Amino acid sequence: MGIDVLLGLQWGDEGKGKIVDVLTSEYDIIARFQGGPNAGHTLEFDGIKHVLHTIPSGIFHDKSINVVGNGVVIDPIIFCKELDALKGYNLNLKDKLLISRKAHLILPTHRLLDLASEAAKGKAKIGSTLKGIGPTYMDKTGRNGLRVGDIELPDFKKRYEALVKKHLQILSFYDIEFDLKEMEKPWFKSIENLKDITFIDSDHYLHQQMKEGKKILAEGAQGSLLDIDFGTYPFVTSSTTTAAGACTGLGVAPNKIGDVLGIFKAYCTRVGSGPFPTELFDEDGAAMAKVGNEFGATTGRPRRCGWIDLPALKYAIAISGVTKLMMMKTDVLDGFDTIKACTHYIYNGKKVDNLPYAIDEELVEPVYTELKGWKKDLTKITSASELPKEVNDYIAFLEETLEVPIAIVSVGPDRKQTLHR
Ligand code: GDP
Ligand code: IMO
Ligand code: MG
């Protein structure tokens, strides 16, 4: 049995958490493969709204096993807060939540380095979530990192101190004040608490489970346009958010990948800095932000809003080999008379439908097609057969342009507001 991958096709926050939760009943194991507490995945069911950052979004289902893969970076403090927030749900976390020994740890000094680096960039800042993601992945590729498996070694403290010494040297170049001792107290306490969770050799574990025919869903974080290689560099995150990330972040071979499920909003959002060709600065953008409640699930920052960008979506689909699409937040467009979709850009005076090397405001001008809005409340609809003609026209147009079927249409944040086609 293979492994399916679910990932965001835009700049994150497409609704991955919701859909993983909806699909978990079809899988035995949900495995996060990259990113860390920069992610905020929201789940809504039975009147409950819950945001997960590092823990996979299958955690609320009775039978599912949830694996935090080797490609993930873990802040023990945030992880333990997430565990605390789950306490009231009576979940058997010892059995159903497993952490890879090869996952890297975010240290308090990684957070300081993130802060110092962003402050030094001034106007050119990435708009990082300041969770220490970039510096932790830098230490991973620089071969300095500390991993979850190190916690079990007798010289863990020594390894920690050696890395902190390096960080303090770098931090001395920045004008930044901090009280490391105060930051370390909750960190070491959380390291102790983390030991209550089962650490595993996740690569071997997943190979074994696949041999036994178990169904696995790999849960992506962030979005394809934030990918370290293929995103809008340097305004990206520090991991591989595309399908290849599931191979390296879980130790799964490419020929074991089955379906690649790509999620996108019926419009588009971005949080943090960087180019966004279809961004709106008018009342349409404000309406999307208001109706879509577009505030970051991790930082609370307002998300920038704009129309759907099809050259960017096509690119993301090609990079990951997406086999099925899922359109989220369709209901947010309920009030619009006209829906716009960017089909091309004017780039160097020519009309192109691919994503050029740079998509900064001064380099590309989006070209739009207009479709008629549906002006109906979609949030109460319970079957795809009830969708208004105008929604079906929008879906048909997207499927024709993107050449991939749309399998799910989401019409609200709740688990139940999910239409299967
Ligand atoms: P993720 O990071 O991809 O998991 O997405 P986030 O949780 O950061 O952001 C998605 C937001 O949209 C959350 O507040 C969800 O509850 C909400 N949401 C998901 N699907 C829908 C939908 O179809 N309609 C509406 N109105 N909200 C949705
Ligand atoms: P989920 O999984 C949206 C953005 C940040 C910033 C850039 C780099 O909830 O979709 P980082 O802290 O990773 O160094 O920040 O990436 N970013 C996200 N935007 N959703 C996310 O995750 C994000 N994770 C990081 O805003 O622009
Ligand atoms: Mg999010």
Side-chain angles (χ1 to χ4, degrees):
M1 191 70 77
I3 158 166
D4 294 341
V5 182
L6 180 144
L7 38 85
L9 298 178
Q10 295 162 323
W11 280 289
D13 303 330
E14 296 88 351
K16 298 174 291 292
K18 169 184 164 161
I19 289 297
V20 171
D21 172 58
V22 166
L23 296 179
T24 296
S25 48
E26 296 173 27
Y27 292 90
D28 301 297
I29 300 170
I30 308 298
R32 268 281 299 271
F33 59 88
Q34 46 67 238
N38 47 351
H41 294 183
T42 314
L43 285 65
E44 286 196 37
F45 55 92
D46 304 340
I48 296 165
K49 178 173 174 173
H50 198 96
V51 180
L52 295 163
H53 300 285
T54 333
I55 294 175
S57 301
I59 198 74
F60 288 102
H61 289 251
D62 276 353
K63 292 200 187 105
S64 71
I65 302 287
N66 291 259
V67 176
V68 179
N70 59 275
V72 176
V73 291
I74 299 175
D75 183 332
I77 299 177
I78 296 178
F79 200 91
C80 286
K81 277 191 190 147
E82 290 190 66
L83 293 176
D84 282 347
L86 289 174
K87 269 194 182 137
Y89 294 96
N90 214 8
L91 306 167
N92 181 4
L93 294 179
K94 185 80 190 157
D95 290 339
K96 66 190 281 108
L97 179 59
L98 312 172
I99 306 181
S100 173
R101 289 197 173 89
K102 291 188 177 129
H104 279 244
L105 288 169
I106 302 177
L107 273 56
T109 38
H110 282 130
R111 276 188 277 135
L112 291 171
L113 287 166
D114 204 359
L115 191 72
S117 158
E118 283 283 82
K121 281 194 161 108
K123 274 197 176 152
K125 71 172 190 216
I126 308 295
S128 140
T129 58
L130 301 179
K131 302 292 177 198
I133 305 296
T136 306
Y137 279 114
M138 279 165 74
D139 270 339
K140 175 178 178 174
T141 50
R143 290 135 325 154
N144 296 313
L146 208 59
R147 300 188 290 176
V148 167
D150 294 337
I151 298 173
E152 298 171 319
L153 301 179
D155 63 347
F156 174 64
K157 192 84 197 281
K158 234 167 93 188
R159 287 170 189 248
Y160 168 85
E161 279 161 5
L163 185 52
V164 167
K165 199 171 155 202
K166 279 197 180 112
H167 290 166
L168 290 177
Q169 276 168 356
I170 305 170
L171 284 166
S172 70
F173 291 106
Y174 292 99
D175 183 19
I176 170 174
E177 279 182 30
F178 54 89
D179 183 345
L180 185 57
K181 285 277 163 292
E182 274 308 304
M183 296 176 86
E184 280 178 335
K185 275 185 216 158
W187 194 82
F188 277 107
K189 189 162 180 287
S190 301
I191 288 285
E192 281 310 307
N193 294 343
L194 208 59
K195 289 179 184 166
D196 290 340
I197 301 298
T198 311
F199 300 164
I200 56 162
D201 296 330
S202 55
D203 32 12
H204 297 300
Y205 171 80
L206 292 173
H207 298 159
Q208 196 54 41
Q209 297 302 307
M210 282 193 283
K211 260 194 197 153
E212 289 176 19
K214 297 280 166 55
K215 280 197 80 184
I216 304 170
L217 179 65
E219 173 180 0
Q222 289 78 56
S224 306
L225 303 176
L226 290 169
D227 182 271
I228 183 69
D229 282 276
F230 304 107
T232 46
Y233 193 89
F235 301 101
V236 294
T237 191
S238 304
S239 64
T240 297
T241 61
T242 44
C247 296
T248 57
L250 295 173
V252 168
N255 62 357
K256 293 287 188 292
I257 303 284
D259 267 323
V260 180
L261 315 173
I263 304 213
F264 65 98
K265 281 178 189 168
Y267 50 105
C268 194
T269 64
R270 171 162 210 173
V271 59
S273 331
F276 180 0
T278 62
E279 184 170 11
L280 292 167
F281 301 93
D282 58 7
E283 66 265 25
D284 283 348
M288 288 169 186
K290 185 157 185 273
V291 182
N293 192 23
E294 294 295 359
F295 293 94
T298 293
T299 59
R301 292 178 293 177
R303 297 180 186 138
R304 301 151 65 190
C305 297
W307 295 114
I308 200 163
D309 183 335
L310 298 177
L313 262 186
K314 274 198 260 186
Y315 179 70
I317 288 168
I319 295 280
S320 287
V322 171
T323 57
K324 280 185 193 159
L325 289 168
M326 298 175 181
M327 179 159 77
M328 310 301 291
K329 302 191 92 158
T330 318
D331 55 297
V332 174
L333 300 183
D334 283 358
F336 285 83
D337 293 318
T338 304
I339 312 290
K340 289 191 189 180
C342 166
T343 54
H344 296 78
Y345 301 131
I346 304 291
Y347 178 68
N348 281 338
K350 285 203 190 88
K351 200 171 161 189
V352 298
D353 68 353
N354 63 312
L355 198 70
Y357 173 71
I359 54 166
D360 300 87
E361 204 185 344
E362 58 279 14
L363 298 174
V364 297
E365 185 196 327
V367 179
Y368 293 101
T369 283
E370 293 191 1
L371 291 98
K372 198 162 172 276
W374 41 92
K375 300 282 277 179
K376 286 189 186 79
D377 177 6
L378 300 185
T379 59
K380 309 276 182 320
I381 288 185
T382 53
S383 153
S385 62
E386 298 165 42
L387 283 171
K389 177 186 177 301
E390 292 83 358
V391 179
N392 284 324
D393 288 348
Y394 189 44
I395 292 171
F397 164 74
L398 294 175
E399 287 185 330
E400 197 187 344
T401 312
L402 301 170
E403 299 180 78
V404 182
I406 297 179
I408 282 180
V409 177
S410 177
V411 292
D414 194 86
R415 217 185 240 174
K416 291 203 183 97
Q417 292 170 303
T418 311
L419 312 176
H420 297 263
R421 294 177 77 239

